[in-house]
Amino acid sequence: MRGMDDGGEQVQRPRARSRPAIGDILATGIRGLRARPLRASLAVLGIGIGIATVVLVTSIPASSQAALEERLTALGADLLRVDPVQTSEEPATLPESSLGMLGRVGPVTGTAVAANLHEEVRRTAFRPTGDGALTALAVDGPLLDVVRGSIAEGSAPRDGTPTVVLGTDAARRLGIERLPDEPVTIDIGGVAFQVTGILEPTPLAPDLQTTVMVGWEAAERWLDFDGRPTVAYVTAVEDAIEEVRPVLAATLSPQSPGSVQVSRPSAVLAAKETSRTTSEGLFVALAAVSLAVGGIGIANTMFASVLERRRDIGLRRALGARRSDIAAQFLVEALALCSIGGILGVAVGAASSAVWAIAHEWPVVVPAAVIAGGVGAALLMGAIAGLAPSVRAARLDPTSALALG
């Protein structure tokens, strides 16, 4: 652009340098990656391994948790157990009418009661002592339906008759792991009871596995049972479980709700499963370390690139490139490396998590937040790793860079 000086002569004014378009900056940055494909691939691999590890250590526990929730729902996440609190040497019991009282609570969908008969259980009446580990239990209501139990073979005890069903452990202790063709009896409190069935394992009520279950009327008739239950099992609408718990205690003991304890068996199973995953935090920490190592690799790659391309940087500066243009070029390179590594890491991590879940027959769960977080973490790592090299490149003096290059 021409102008007039004080003497009236025309002078040439320098043109303002225009800023390069964003597309040009991106093209220049990516061109730098293609110039050194092996080094770029190794840098991408480092960041990809870190992101894949993050996805794995978050998705696999999520799939495991989903499988646990499905298992608990199938077993009975809606189950509550009601026990009287022991306050004296005398066995604590619930009211005789507990079955009807609990059944009238609104959200309750099923209820059954049982009572420890405190009778000795022996294989035959000729044995001098019984097996103290076994419990004779009187049952009223559809107990097996409520606790999601079932009979492995045989049938339930018949009302009013001296018949009994054995828990899995009880059957093993008594030497009756399978029902013989001929009727077999055991001795309960001096009375012979015919064994009519053997239970499947009951995960939600493991104490039933060491019991011999007698019908309520048979216990009253043959064992002088007083009709007072010592435990109750209740199913309720799952969404209302926490609201129902204090209602059950107040229903059975209006004057002293604290004398009744209401527990949720499925919560105990969940706690056991949770204790197995306490090392999850350690895995996440290891994934973070892996990601940091990948970021250090990116930074090292970028610093090496700056040193190798000093002549190019000096030439661009001499031709009019701004410091910000040089910084943007190297920052774009770092971001491109990490974004590629992030996308590949997320893909590999998600695929590996899916294979692991399918192999263990779990639901495949890859949280969307993990996918977005993985790519975001890669970009953040690229910005951090590329910042120092890009600033160093921008500060190179054109003359020195051309001389050193």
Side-chain angles (χ1 to χ4, degrees):
M1 182 175 182
R2 297 182 180 274
M4 301 294 291
D5 63 4
D6 293 340
E9 296 182 359
Q10 291 183 336
V11 295
Q12 185 75 28
R13 294 179 181 176
R15 291 179 177 273
R17 289 176 292 180
S18 60
R19 292 185 177 276
I22 295 177
D24 294 335
I25 295 175
L26 293 176
T28 303
I30 294 174
R31 193 180 304 121
L33 299 181
R34 290 186 299 193
R36 296 165 180 80
L38 179 58
R39 182 183 296 173
S41 299
L42 292 176
V44 166
L45 179 62
I47 204 74
I49 290 174
I51 295 298
T53 306
V54 171
V55 174
L56 275 171
V57 300
T58 51
S59 298
I60 289 178
S63 295
S64 176
Q65 182 64 30
L68 172 62
E69 291 176 358
E70 286 187 358
R71 176 170 172 250
L72 293 180
T73 299
L75 287 175
D78 59 347
L79 177 65
L80 293 172
R81 173 176 170 144
V82 184
D83 294 275
V85 176
Q86 189 76 31
T87 57
S88 64
E89 294 183 359
E90 291 295 322
T93 61
L94 297 172
E96 289 186 41
S97 55
S98 294
L99 188 64
M101 295 167 69
L102 294 172
R104 288 191 290 271
V105 176
V108 169
T109 57
T111 183
V113 295
N116 187 341
L117 298 173
H118 301 286
E119 296 286 357
E120 194 173 46
V121 178
R122 295 180 290 182
R123 178 64 179 82
T124 68
F126 299 103
R127 289 196 174 182
T129 59
D131 191 331
L134 302 183
T135 302
L137 200 69
V139 176
D140 193 12
L143 178 61
L144 293 182
D145 292 338
V146 171
V147 301
R148 308 302 199 275
S150 60
I151 296 178
E153 56 178 316
S155 60
R158 296 183 288 273
D159 289 340
T161 63
T163 54
V164 66
V165 168
L166 307 180
T168 51
D169 292 342
R172 178 175 53 80
R173 287 177 176 274
L174 293 170
I176 314 175
E177 298 185 29
R178 297 190 62 85
L179 284 180
D181 295 333
E182 298 296 325
V184 60
T185 62
I186 61 173
D187 184 87
I188 303 177
V191 178
F193 279 75
Q194 181 182 344
V195 178
T196 61
I198 299 174
L199 295 181
E200 293 278 6
T202 51
L204 285 177
D207 52 331
L208 295 182
Q209 296 178 183
T210 57
T211 63
V212 293
M213 296 169 54
V214 181
W216 200 264
E217 294 181 6
E220 291 178 326
R221 178 177 179 182
W222 302 98
L223 300 173
D224 296 326
F225 171 48
D226 61 5
R228 297 183 66 87
T230 56
V231 63
Y233 294 92
V234 173
T235 55
V237 177
E238 190 170 342
D239 293 339
I241 284 291
E242 294 305 319
E243 290 76 13
V244 167
R245 292 174 72 165
V247 175
L248 297 180
T251 298
L252 295 180
S253 182
Q255 303 300 323
S256 179
S259 63
V260 176
Q261 178 182 357
V262 182
S263 59
R264 192 176 184 183
S266 61
V268 176
L269 289 180
K272 290 180 179 179
E273 292 291 336
T274 301
S275 67
R276 298 176 186 173
T277 60
T278 52
S279 59
E280 179 182 340
L282 175 61
F283 292 145
V284 173
L286 292 175
V289 170
S290 178
L291 185 58
V293 171
I296 293 171
I298 294 290
N300 183 60
T301 298
M302 297 310 301
F303 274 116
S305 181
V306 170
L307 292 175
E308 291 176 356
R309 294 156 65 186
R310 285 176 298 184
R311 186 177 182 83
D312 294 341
I313 295 170
L315 183 59
R316 288 195 63 202
R317 288 295 313 283
L319 293 175
R322 295 181 175 85
R323 292 181 184 274
S324 59
D325 300 337
I326 302 298
Q329 172 190 345
F330 284 91
L331 192 59
V332 165
E333 287 189 27
L335 289 172
L337 284 172
C338 287
S339 61
I340 295 171
I343 293 171
L344 290 177
V346 166
V348 171
S352 301
S353 300
V355 170
W356 182 273
I358 292 172
H360 288 77
E361 298 182 349
W362 294 344
V364 177
V365 179
V366 182
V370 173
I371 296 176
V375 177
L379 291 174
L380 178 61
M381 188 62 66
I384 295 173
L387 183 60
S390 63
V391 170
R392 180 172 181 176
R395 288 180 176 176
L396 285 177
D397 179 70
T399 304
S400 301
L402 286 170
L404 293 171

